Coordinates of all heavy atoms in Angstrom, one line a residue:
M12 N -10.7 -1.1 16.2 CA -9.7 -0.1 16.0 C -10.0 0.7 14.7 O -10.3 0.2 13.7 CB -8.3 -0.9 15.8 CG -7.2 0.0 15.8 SD -5.7 -1.0 16.2 CE -4.5 -0.1 15.4
K13 N -9.9 1.9 14.8 CA -10.2 2.9 13.8 C -9.1 3.0 12.8 O -7.9 3.0 13.2 CB -10.5 4.2 14.4 CG -11.4 5.1 13.6 CD -11.8 6.3 14.3 CE -12.9 7.0 13.7 NZ -13.3 8.3 14.3
N14 N -9.4 3.0 11.5 CA -8.4 3.2 10.4 C -7.9 4.7 10.4 O -8.7 5.6 10.3 CB -9.0 2.8 9.1 CG -7.9 2.8 8.0 OD1 -6.8 3.4 8.2 ND2 -8.3 2.3 6.9
Q15 N -6.6 4.9 10.6 CA -6.0 6.2 10.6 C -5.4 6.6 9.3 O -4.8 7.7 9.2 CB -5.0 6.3 11.7 CG -5.5 6.0 13.1 CD -6.4 7.0 13.6 OE1 -6.2 8.2 13.4 NE2 -7.4 6.6 14.3
G16 N -5.6 5.8 8.3 CA -5.0 6.2 7.0 C -5.6 7.4 6.3 O -6.8 7.6 6.4
N17 N -4.7 8.2 5.7 CA -5.2 9.4 5.0 C -6.1 9.1 3.8 O -6.9 9.9 3.5 CB -4.0 10.2 4.5 CG -3.2 10.8 5.6 OD1 -3.8 11.0 6.7 ND2 -2.0 11.2 5.4
S18 N -6.0 7.9 3.2 CA -6.8 7.7 2.0 C -8.3 7.5 2.4 O -9.1 7.6 1.5 CB -6.3 6.4 1.3 OG -6.4 5.3 2.2
M19 N -8.6 7.3 3.6 CA -10.0 7.1 4.0 C -10.6 8.4 4.5 O -11.8 8.5 4.7 CB -10.0 6.1 5.2 CG -9.5 4.7 4.8 SD -10.4 4.0 3.4 CE -12.0 3.6 4.2
Q20 N -9.8 9.4 4.6 CA -10.3 10.7 5.1 C -10.6 11.6 3.9 O -9.8 11.7 3.0 CB -9.3 11.4 6.0 CG -9.0 10.6 7.3 CD -7.9 11.2 8.1 OE1 -7.3 12.2 7.7 NE2 -7.5 10.6 9.2
P21 N -11.7 12.3 4.0 CA -12.0 13.3 2.8 C -11.0 14.4 2.8 O -10.5 14.9 3.8 CB -13.4 13.8 3.2 CG -13.6 13.5 4.6 CD -12.7 12.4 5.0
Q22 N -10.6 14.8 1.6 CA -9.7 15.9 1.5 C -10.4 17.2 1.0 O -11.4 17.1 0.3 CB -8.6 15.5 0.4 CG -7.8 14.4 0.9 CD -6.7 14.1 -0.1 OE1 -6.7 14.6 -1.3 NE2 -5.7 13.3 0.3
N23 N -9.8 18.3 1.3 CA -10.4 19.5 0.8 C -10.0 19.7 -0.6 O -9.0 19.1 -1.1 CB -10.0 20.7 1.7 CG -8.6 21.1 1.7 OD1 -8.0 21.2 0.6 ND2 -8.0 21.3 2.8
P24 N -10.6 20.6 -1.4 CA -10.3 20.8 -2.8 C -8.8 21.2 -3.0 O -8.2 20.7 -4.0 CB -11.2 21.9 -3.3 CG -12.4 21.8 -2.3 CD -11.8 21.4 -1.0
N25 N -8.2 22.0 -2.2 CA -6.8 22.3 -2.3 C -5.9 21.1 -2.2 O -5.0 21.0 -3.0 CB -6.4 23.4 -1.4 CG -6.9 24.8 -1.7 OD1 -7.2 25.0 -2.9 ND2 -7.1 25.6 -0.7
A26 N -6.2 20.3 -1.2 CA -5.4 19.1 -1.0 C -5.5 18.1 -2.2 O -4.5 17.5 -2.6 CB -5.7 18.4 0.3
Q27 N -6.7 18.0 -2.7 CA -6.9 17.1 -3.8 C -6.2 17.6 -5.1 O -5.6 16.9 -5.8 CB -8.4 17.0 -4.1 CG -9.2 16.2 -3.1 CD -10.7 16.2 -3.3 OE1 -11.2 17.0 -4.0 NE2 -11.3 15.2 -2.8
A28 N -6.3 18.9 -5.3 CA -5.6 19.6 -6.4 C -4.1 19.3 -6.3 O -3.4 19.0 -7.2 CB -5.9 21.0 -6.5
Q29 N -3.5 19.5 -5.1 CA -2.1 19.4 -4.9 C -1.7 17.9 -5.1 O -0.6 17.6 -5.7 CB -1.7 19.8 -3.5 CG -0.2 19.9 -3.3 CD 0.5 20.8 -4.3 OE1 0.2 22.0 -4.5 NE2 1.5 20.3 -5.1
Q30 N -2.5 17.0 -4.6 CA -2.2 15.6 -4.8 C -2.2 15.3 -6.3 O -1.3 14.5 -6.8 CB -3.2 14.7 -4.1 CG -2.9 13.2 -4.2 CD -3.8 12.4 -3.3 OE1 -4.9 12.9 -3.0 NE2 -3.4 11.2 -2.9
S31 N -3.2 15.8 -7.1 CA -3.2 15.5 -8.5 C -2.0 16.2 -9.2 O -1.5 15.6 -10.2 CB -4.5 16.1 -9.1 OG -5.6 15.3 -8.7
L32 N -1.6 17.4 -8.8 CA -0.5 18.0 -9.4 C 0.8 17.3 -9.1 O 1.7 17.2 -10.0 CB -0.4 19.5 -8.9 CG -1.4 20.4 -9.4 CD1 -1.5 21.7 -8.6 CD2 -1.2 20.7 -10.9
D33 N 0.9 16.7 -7.9 CA 2.1 15.9 -7.6 C 2.2 14.7 -8.5 O 3.2 14.3 -9.0 CB 2.1 15.4 -6.1 CG 2.3 16.6 -5.1 OD1 2.8 17.7 -5.6 OD2 2.0 16.4 -3.9
H34 N 1.0 14.0 -8.7 CA 1.0 12.9 -9.6 C 1.3 13.3 -11.0 O 2.1 12.6 -11.7 CB -0.4 12.3 -9.5 CG -0.6 11.0 -10.2 ND1 0.4 10.3 -10.8 CD2 -1.7 10.3 -10.5 CE1 0.0 9.2 -11.4 NE2 -1.3 9.2 -11.2
L35 N 0.8 14.4 -11.5 CA 1.1 14.9 -12.8 C 2.6 15.2 -12.9 O 3.2 14.8 -13.9 CB 0.3 16.2 -13.1 CG 0.6 17.0 -14.4 CD1 0.4 16.1 -15.6 CD2 -0.2 18.3 -14.4
H36 N 3.2 15.9 -12.0 CA 4.6 16.2 -12.0 C 5.4 14.9 -12.2 O 6.3 14.8 -13.0 CB 5.0 16.9 -10.7 CG 6.5 17.1 -10.7 ND1 7.1 18.1 -11.4 CD2 7.5 16.5 -10.0 CE1 8.4 18.1 -11.2 NE2 8.7 17.1 -10.3
N37 N 5.0 13.9 -11.4 CA 5.8 12.6 -11.5 C 5.6 11.9 -12.9 O 6.5 11.4 -13.5 CB 5.3 11.6 -10.4 CG 5.7 12.1 -9.0 OD1 6.7 12.8 -8.9 ND2 5.0 11.6 -8.0
A38 N 4.4 12.0 -13.4 CA 4.1 11.4 -14.7 C 4.8 12.2 -15.8 O 5.4 11.5 -16.7 CB 2.6 11.4 -15.0
V39 N 4.9 13.5 -15.7 CA 5.6 14.3 -16.8 C 7.1 14.0 -16.7 O 7.8 13.8 -17.7 CB 5.3 15.8 -16.6 CG1 6.2 16.6 -17.5 CG2 3.8 16.0 -17.0
A40 N 7.6 13.9 -15.4 CA 9.0 13.6 -15.3 C 9.4 12.3 -15.8 O 10.4 12.1 -16.5 CB 9.4 13.7 -13.8
M41 N 8.5 11.3 -15.6 CA 8.7 9.9 -16.2 C 8.7 10.0 -17.7 O 9.5 9.4 -18.4 CB 7.7 9.0 -15.6 CG 7.9 7.5 -16.1 SD 9.4 6.8 -15.5 CE 8.9 6.4 -13.8
A42 N 7.8 10.7 -18.3 CA 7.7 10.8 -19.7 C 8.9 11.6 -20.3 O 9.3 11.2 -21.4 CB 6.4 11.5 -20.1
Q43 N 9.4 12.5 -19.6 CA 10.6 13.2 -20.0 C 11.8 12.3 -20.0 O 12.7 12.4 -20.9 CB 10.9 14.5 -19.2 CG 9.9 15.6 -19.4 CD 10.1 16.7 -18.5 OE1 10.4 16.5 -17.3 NE2 9.9 17.9 -19.0
S44 N 11.9 11.5 -19.0 CA 13.1 10.6 -18.9 C 13.0 9.3 -19.8 O 14.0 8.7 -20.2 CB 13.4 10.2 -17.5 OG 12.4 9.5 -16.9
H45 N 11.7 8.9 -20.0 CA 11.5 7.7 -20.8 C 10.3 8.1 -21.8 O 9.2 7.7 -21.6 CB 11.0 6.5 -20.0 CG 12.0 6.2 -18.9 ND1 13.2 5.6 -19.2 CD2 12.0 6.4 -17.6 CE1 13.9 5.4 -18.0 NE2 13.2 5.9 -17.0
P46 N 10.6 8.8 -22.9 CA 9.6 9.4 -23.7 C 8.9 8.4 -24.7 O 8.9 8.5 -25.9 CB 10.3 10.5 -24.5 CG 11.7 10.0 -24.5 CD 11.9 9.3 -23.3
S47 N 8.3 7.3 -24.1 CA 7.5 6.4 -24.9 C 6.1 6.9 -25.0 O 5.6 7.7 -24.2 CB 7.5 5.0 -24.3 OG 6.8 5.0 -23.1
E48 N 5.4 6.4 -26.0 CA 4.0 6.8 -26.2 C 3.2 6.4 -25.0 O 2.3 7.2 -24.6 CB 3.4 6.1 -27.4 CG 2.0 6.6 -27.8 CD 1.9 8.1 -28.0 OE1 2.8 8.7 -28.6 OE2 0.9 8.7 -27.5
Q49 N 3.5 5.3 -24.3 CA 2.8 4.9 -23.1 C 3.0 5.9 -22.0 O 2.0 6.3 -21.3 CB 3.2 3.5 -22.7 CG 2.5 3.0 -21.5 CD 2.9 1.6 -21.1 OE1 3.8 1.0 -21.7 NE2 2.3 1.0 -20.1
Q50 N 4.2 6.3 -21.8 CA 4.5 7.3 -20.7 C 3.8 8.6 -21.0 O 3.3 9.3 -20.1 CB 6.0 7.5 -20.5 CG 6.7 6.2 -20.0 CD 6.2 5.8 -18.6 OE1 5.8 6.6 -17.8 NE2 6.3 4.5 -18.3
I51 N 3.9 9.1 -22.2 CA 3.2 10.3 -22.6 C 1.7 10.3 -22.4 O 1.1 11.2 -21.9 CB 3.6 10.7 -24.1 CG1 5.2 11.1 -24.1 CG2 2.8 11.9 -24.5 CD1 5.7 11.2 -25.5
E52 N 1.1 9.1 -22.8 CA -0.3 9.0 -22.6 C -0.7 9.0 -21.1 O -1.7 9.6 -20.7 CB -0.8 7.7 -23.3 CG -2.3 7.5 -23.2 CD -3.1 8.5 -24.0 OE1 -2.5 9.1 -25.0 OE2 -4.2 8.8 -23.6
Q53 N 0.1 8.4 -20.3 CA -0.1 8.4 -18.8 C 0.0 9.8 -18.3 O -0.8 10.3 -17.5 CB 0.9 7.5 -18.1 CG 0.8 7.5 -16.6 CD -0.6 7.0 -16.1 OE1 -1.1 6.0 -16.7 NE2 -1.1 7.6 -15.1
A54 N 0.9 10.6 -18.8 CA 1.0 12.0 -18.4 C -0.2 12.8 -18.9 O -0.7 13.7 -18.2 CB 2.3 12.6 -19.0
R55 N -0.7 12.5 -20.1 CA -1.9 13.2 -20.6 C -3.1 12.9 -19.7 O -3.9 13.8 -19.4 CB -2.2 12.8 -22.0 CG -1.3 13.3 -23.1 CD -1.8 12.9 -24.4 NE -0.8 13.1 -25.4 CZ -0.4 12.2 -26.3 NH1 -1.0 11.0 -26.4 NH2 0.5 12.5 -27.2
N56 N -3.2 11.6 -19.3 CA -4.3 11.3 -18.4 C -4.2 12.0 -17.0 O -5.2 12.4 -16.5 CB -4.3 9.7 -18.2 CG -4.7 9.0 -19.4 OD1 -5.3 9.5 -20.3 ND2 -4.3 7.7 -19.5
S57 N -2.9 12.1 -16.5 CA -2.7 12.8 -15.3 C -3.0 14.2 -15.4 O -3.6 14.9 -14.5 CB -1.3 12.6 -14.8 OG -1.0 11.2 -14.5
L58 N -2.7 14.8 -16.6 CA -3.0 16.2 -16.8 C -4.5 16.4 -16.8 O -5.0 17.4 -16.1 CB -2.5 16.6 -18.2 CG -2.8 18.0 -18.7 CD1 -2.3 19.1 -17.7 CD2 -2.3 18.3 -20.1
A59 N -5.3 15.6 -17.4 CA -6.8 15.7 -17.4 C -7.3 15.6 -15.9 O -8.2 16.4 -15.6 CB -7.4 14.6 -18.2
S60 N -6.8 14.7 -15.2 CA -7.2 14.6 -13.8 C -6.9 15.8 -13.0 O -7.7 16.3 -12.2 CB -6.6 13.4 -13.1 OG -7.1 12.2 -13.7
A61 N -5.7 16.3 -13.2 CA -5.2 17.5 -12.4 C -6.0 18.7 -12.8 O -6.3 19.6 -12.0 CB -3.7 17.8 -12.7
Q62 N -6.4 18.8 -14.1 CA -7.2 20.0 -14.6 C -8.5 20.0 -13.8 O -9.0 21.0 -13.4 CB -7.4 19.9 -16.1 CG -6.2 20.3 -16.9 CD -6.3 20.1 -18.4 OE1 -6.9 19.2 -18.8 NE2 -5.7 21.0 -19.1
Q63 N -9.2 18.8 -13.7 CA -10.4 18.7 -13.0 C -10.3 19.1 -11.5 O -11.1 19.8 -11.0 CB -11.0 17.3 -13.1 CG -11.5 17.0 -14.5 CD -12.1 15.6 -14.5 OE1 -11.7 14.6 -13.8 NE2 -13.1 15.4 -15.3
A64 N -9.2 18.6 -10.9 CA -9.0 18.9 -9.5 C -8.8 20.4 -9.3 O -9.3 21.0 -8.3 CB -7.8 18.1 -9.0
V65 N -8.0 21.0 -10.2 CA -7.7 22.5 -10.0 C -9.0 23.3 -10.3 O -9.3 24.3 -9.6 CB -6.5 22.9 -11.0 CG1 -6.4 24.4 -11.0 CG2 -5.2 22.2 -10.5
D66 N -9.8 22.8 -11.3 CA -11.1 23.5 -11.5 C -11.9 23.5 -10.3 O -12.5 24.5 -9.9 CB -11.8 22.9 -12.7 CG -11.2 23.1 -14.1 OD1 -10.3 24.0 -14.2 OD2 -11.5 22.4 -15.0
Q67 N -12.0 22.4 -9.6 CA -12.8 22.3 -8.4 C -12.2 23.1 -7.3 O -13.0 23.8 -6.6 CB -12.9 20.8 -7.9 CG -13.8 20.0 -8.8 CD -13.9 18.5 -8.3 OE1 -13.1 18.1 -7.5 NE2 -14.8 17.8 -8.9
A68 N -10.9 23.2 -7.2 CA -10.3 24.0 -6.2 C -10.6 25.5 -6.4 O -10.8 26.2 -5.5 CB -8.8 23.8 -6.1
E69 N -10.6 25.9 -7.7 CA -10.9 27.3 -8.0 C -12.3 27.6 -7.6 O -12.6 28.7 -7.2 CB -10.7 27.5 -9.5 CG -9.3 27.6 -9.9 CD -9.0 27.9 -11.4 OE1 -9.8 27.4 -12.2 OE2 -8.0 28.5 -11.7
E70 N -13.3 26.7 -7.8 CA -14.7 26.9 -7.4 C -14.9 27.0 -5.9 O -15.8 27.7 -5.5 CB -15.5 25.8 -8.0 CG -15.6 25.8 -9.5 CD -16.4 24.6 -10.1 OE1 -17.0 23.9 -9.3 OE2 -16.3 24.4 -11.3
K71 N -14.2 26.2 -5.2 CA -14.5 25.9 -3.8 C -13.5 26.4 -2.7 O -13.7 26.1 -1.6 CB -14.8 24.4 -3.6 CG -15.9 23.9 -4.5 CD -16.1 22.4 -4.3 CE -17.2 21.9 -5.2 NZ -17.4 20.5 -5.0
S72 N -12.5 27.0 -3.1 CA -11.5 27.3 -2.1 C -10.8 28.7 -2.2 O -11.2 29.5 -3.0 CB -10.4 26.2 -2.1 OG -9.7 26.2 -3.3
N73 N -9.8 28.9 -1.4 CA -9.0 30.1 -1.4 C -8.5 30.5 -2.7 O -7.8 29.7 -3.4 CB -7.8 29.8 -0.4 CG -6.9 30.9 -0.3 OD1 -6.6 31.7 -1.2 ND2 -6.3 31.1 0.9
P74 N -8.8 31.7 -3.2 CA -8.4 32.1 -4.6 C -6.8 32.1 -4.7 O -6.4 31.7 -5.8 CB -8.9 33.5 -4.7 CG -10.0 33.6 -3.7 CD -9.7 32.7 -2.6
G75 N -6.1 32.4 -3.7 CA -4.6 32.4 -3.8 C -4.1 31.0 -4.0 O -3.2 30.8 -4.8
A76 N -4.6 30.1 -3.2 CA -4.1 28.7 -3.4 C -4.5 28.1 -4.7 O -3.8 27.4 -5.4 CB -4.7 27.9 -2.2
A77 N -5.7 28.5 -5.2 CA -6.2 28.0 -6.5 C -5.4 28.6 -7.6 O -5.0 27.9 -8.6 CB -7.7 28.3 -6.6
Q78 N -5.0 29.8 -7.5 CA -4.2 30.4 -8.5 C -2.8 29.8 -8.6 O -2.2 29.6 -9.6 CB -4.0 31.9 -8.3 CG -3.3 32.6 -9.4 CD -3.3 34.2 -9.2 OE1 -3.9 34.7 -8.3 NE2 -2.7 34.9 -10.1
L79 N -2.2 29.5 -7.4 CA -0.9 28.8 -7.4 C -1.0 27.4 -8.0 O -0.2 27.0 -8.8 CB -0.4 28.6 -5.9 CG 0.9 27.9 -5.7 CD1 2.0 28.7 -6.4 CD2 1.2 27.8 -4.2
A80 N -2.1 26.7 -7.7 CA -2.3 25.4 -8.3 C -2.5 25.5 -9.8 O -1.9 24.7 -10.6 CB -3.6 24.7 -7.7
R81 N -3.2 26.5 -10.3 CA -3.3 26.8 -11.8 C -2.0 27.0 -12.4 O -1.7 26.6 -13.5 CB -4.3 27.9 -12.0 CG -4.6 28.3 -13.4 CD -5.2 27.3 -14.3 NE -6.5 26.9 -13.8 CZ -7.3 25.9 -14.3 NH1 -6.8 25.2 -15.2 NH2 -8.5 25.7 -13.8
S82 N -1.1 27.8 -11.7 CA 0.2 28.1 -12.2 C 1.0 26.8 -12.4 O 1.7 26.6 -13.4 CB 0.9 29.1 -11.3 OG 2.2 29.4 -11.7
E83 N 1.0 26.0 -11.4 CA 1.7 24.7 -11.4 C 1.2 23.8 -12.6 O 2.0 23.2 -13.3 CB 1.6 24.0 -10.1 CG 2.4 24.6 -9.0 CD 2.2 23.7 -7.7 OE1 2.4 22.5 -7.8 OE2 2.0 24.3 -6.6
L84 N -0.1 23.8 -12.7 CA -0.7 23.0 -13.8 C -0.3 23.5 -15.1 O 0.1 22.7 -16.0 CB -2.3 23.1 -13.7 CG -3.1 22.4 -14.8 CD1 -2.9 20.9 -14.7 CD2 -4.5 22.8 -14.7
Q85 N -0.2 24.8 -15.4 CA 0.2 25.4 -16.6 C 1.7 25.0 -16.9 O 2.1 24.7 -18.0 CB 0.0 26.9 -16.7 CG -1.5 27.2 -16.8 CD -1.7 28.7 -16.6 OE1 -0.9 29.5 -16.1 NE2 -2.8 29.2 -17.1
E86 N 2.5 25.0 -15.9 CA 3.9 24.7 -16.1 C 4.1 23.3 -16.5 O 4.8 23.0 -17.4 CB 4.7 25.0 -14.7 CG 6.1 24.7 -14.8 CD 6.9 25.0 -13.5 OE1 6.4 25.9 -12.8 OE2 7.9 24.3 -13.3
E87 N 3.4 22.4 -15.8 CA 3.5 20.9 -16.2 C 2.9 20.7 -17.6 O 3.4 19.9 -18.3 CB 2.8 20.1 -15.1 CG 3.5 20.1 -13.8 CD 4.9 19.6 -13.8 OE1 5.3 18.8 -14.8 OE2 5.7 19.9 -12.9
E88 N 1.8 21.4 -17.9 CA 1.2 21.3 -19.2 C 2.2 21.7 -20.3 O 2.4 21.0 -21.3 CB 0.0 22.1 -19.3 CG -0.8 21.9 -20.6 CD -2.2 22.6 -20.6 OE1 -2.4 23.4 -19.7 OE2 -3.0 22.2 -21.4
E89 N 3.0 22.7 -20.1 CA 4.0 23.2 -21.0 C 5.1 22.1 -21.1 O 5.6 21.9 -22.2 CB 4.6 24.5 -20.6 CG 3.6 25.7 -20.8 CD 4.1 27.0 -20.2 OE1 5.3 27.0 -19.7 OE2 3.3 27.9 -20.1
N90 N 5.5 21.6 -20.0 CA 6.5 20.5 -20.0 C 6.1 19.3 -20.8 O 6.8 18.7 -21.6 CB 6.9 20.1 -18.6 CG 7.6 21.1 -17.8 OD1 8.2 22.0 -18.4 ND2 7.5 21.0 -16.5
L91 N 4.8 18.9 -20.7 CA 4.3 17.8 -21.4 C 4.2 18.1 -22.9 O 4.6 17.3 -23.8 CB 2.9 17.4 -20.9 CG 2.2 16.3 -21.6 CD1 3.0 15.0 -21.6 CD2 0.8 16.1 -21.0
H92 N 3.8 19.3 -23.3 CA 3.7 19.7 -24.7 C 5.0 19.8 -25.4 O 5.1 19.5 -26.6 CB 2.9 21.0 -24.9 CG 1.4 20.9 -24.6 ND1 0.6 20.0 -25.3 CD2 0.6 21.6 -23.8 CE1 -0.6 20.1 -24.9 NE2 -0.6 21.0 -24.0
S93 N 6.1 20.0 -24.6 CA 7.4 20.0 -25.2 C 7.8 18.6 -25.6 O 8.8 18.5 -26.5 CB 8.4 20.6 -24.2 OG 8.7 19.7 -23.2
L94 N 7.2 17.6 -25.1 CA 7.5 16.2 -25.5 C 6.8 15.8 -26.8 O 7.2 14.8 -27.4 CB 7.1 15.2 -24.4 CG 7.9 15.4 -23.1 CD1 7.3 14.5 -22.0 CD2 9.3 15.1 -23.3
Q95 N 5.8 16.5 -27.2 CA 4.9 16.1 -28.3 C 5.4 16.7 -29.6 O 5.9 17.7 -29.7 CB 3.5 16.4 -28.0 CG 3.0 15.7 -26.7 CD 1.7 16.1 -26.3 OE1 0.9 16.7 -27.0 NE2 1.3 15.7 -25.1

């Protein structure tokens, strides 16, 4: 029987960027509601991962989608910096 799970299927750069941005959003929201150093550090790590994913999406995909991802990234980065 073949595994039908999404985690086993390769994703395009836009999907990877969106998944990283979703994770970043959740990490920033958690840091905002529970502003401990551990939560803020987790959000920083998520930010670094999302930046890499968005950079790859900009290199390899639709410019409009990549620009939207960059905009979301900047918004979350600003939210994170407001905690520091």
Side-chain angles (χ1 to χ4, degrees):
M12 190 161 150
K13 205 173 195 184
N14 185 347
Q15 298 294 322
N17 287 339
S18 64
M19 300 301 289
Q20 298 174 0
Q22 294 182 346
N23 69 48
N25 285 336
Q27 289 175 339
Q29 189 58 55
Q30 185 176 22
S31 289
L32 288 167
D33 290 344
H34 187 9
L35 173 59
H36 175 77
N37 292 338
V39 170
M41 183 65 78
Q43 287 174 321
S44 63
H45 305 288
S47 68
E48 186 57 39
Q49 182 179 5
Q50 293 297 334
I51 293 171
E52 185 63 28
Q53 178 62 40
R55 286 185 195 130
N56 293 339
S57 294
L58 175 62
S60 295
Q62 286 172 326
Q63 287 181 329
V65 170
D66 288 347
Q67 288 181 347
E69 286 180 331
E70 292 174 11
K71 300 178 180 179
S72 65
N73 175 328
Q78 185 173 1
L79 179 60
R81 179 63 63 189
S82 176
E83 288 182 47
L84 177 66
Q85 289 172 337
E86 182 178 329
E87 292 301 338
E88 189 172 14
E89 289 171 10
N90 290 337
L91 177 59
H92 286 305
S93 72
L94 296 173
Q95 300 173 12

